[in-house]
Amino acid sequence: MIETINSISSFIVGKYESNPHWDHWPFGPGYGDFWASALKMLFVAAILGVIIIFLRFLFGPNGKFRDLDLDREAVEMRDKALHDLEEEFKTGKISEVDYTFKKKRILH
């Protein structure tokens, strides 16, 4: 009876100790079958996705830690670029087609 229990426990321990697919999961050297490698990549992608969403929430539009001076400076730079573009178009330095494309690029 004791030998049977010992053989079962040694079988279970040996089974989990010798499985190369989970030795260094998820940051191992990449050996294993296709699904183990795919799960490693999905796990890392999920972690990076959570980090990106967290930073977007904190520093994105209307974010808690967003610097409002940067938004103000961006609006000022866009207004200056539009003013300069209008001046170039009025003086004839650029064509109407160039004016249209440059204005779209500035506004978007």
Side-chain angles (χ1 to χ4, degrees), residues 15-30:
K15 189 72 170 165
Y16 286 113
E17 286 180 353
S18 65
N19 191 353
H21 299 288
W22 300 99
D23 283 350
H24 302 286
W25 197 87
F27 303 109

Side-chain angles (χ1 to χ4, degrees), residues 2-100:
I2 292 178
E3 289 179 20
T4 306
I5 292 172
N6 285 338
S7 66
I8 291 172
S9 65
S10 66
F11 173 75
I12 292 172
V13 169
K15 189 72 170 165
Y16 286 113
E17 286 180 353
S18 65
N19 191 353
H21 299 288
W22 300 99
D23 283 350
H24 302 286
W25 197 87
F27 303 109
Y31 58 88
D33 61 355
F34 171 76
W35 293 111
S37 299
L39 286 174
K40 289 177 191 180
M41 287 185 264
L42 285 174
F43 181 71
V44 172
I47 290 174
L48 291 176
V50 167
I51 292 170
I52 289 170
I53 290 170
F54 181 68
L55 290 175
R56 172 84 175 167
F57 175 73
L58 291 179
F59 296 102
N62 300 323
K64 191 173 186 178
F65 298 119
R66 186 172 179 94
D67 189 7
L68 298 178
D69 290 336
L70 293 176
D71 291 338
R72 181 187 48 80
E73 290 174 4
V75 169
E76 289 175 358
M77 289 173 60
R78 184 174 47 237
D79 290 343
K80 182 183 180 310
L82 283 173
H83 178 70
D84 293 344
L85 184 65
E86 292 284 336
E87 291 297 321
E88 287 180 355
F89 181 64
K90 286 180 183 175
T91 59
K93 291 182 181 177
I94 60 173
S95 68
E96 186 175 349
V97 173
D98 288 336
Y99 170 77
T100 305

